[in-house]
Structure formats: structure tokens, C-alpha cells
Amino acid sequence: MSRVTGAPDRMVRALQWAMAGLAVLFIGGIVVWIIHLIRTAWQLQDVPSASIGISLVAIPVFLTLLGVILYVFVGLLGDRGGR
């Protein structure tokens, strides 16, 4: 009987890991994109005030969001000894 209930748990756990991985890839891609925009603005000798000002706000916001998402997923994927 426990073998039948184990398969859905593994599938849910795999889906949770996949969602956490997608969040890391998505937010990591946004941060890399913003850094690329800053480097491009620097190379083109553009006025850095807007690009640096936006990135000083956007990058920490996205990294905080990533931390919260990973914190939730680690909590969900953590020890299930209470079941």
C-alpha cells in the first residue's frame, strides 16, 4: 500500500524541484540581462544614471524574490517527518 502512495509523492516532489529550478533560471536570466544592459550602456558611453539607478533597485528586488521563492520551496521539500 505504501508503494502506491509513494509514486504521487515523488511526482509532486519532482514538480516542486522543477518549479524551483525554473524560478532560479528565470530570475537569474533577468539579473544577467540587466547586467548585460549596464555593460552595453557603459560600452556605448551612454548616460549611466538611468541604467545604474534602475539596476540598483531591480537586481536586489529580484534576488530577494528568488530568496523568498527558494525559502518556500525548501520548506515544502524539507523533512516530512510530521506526516
Side-chain angles (χ1 to χ4, degrees), residues 33-70:
W33 176 61
I34 291 171
I35 292 171
H36 172 72
L37 290 176
I38 292 170
R39 290 183 65 198
T40 302
W42 186 270
Q43 288 174 352
L44 296 175
Q45 297 176 352
D46 194 12
V47 177
S49 62
S51 60
I52 291 176
I54 291 170
S55 66
L56 284 176
V57 173
I59 290 176
V61 166
F62 280 113
L63 291 178
T64 303
L65 178 64
L66 178 64
V68 169
I69 289 171
L70 290 179

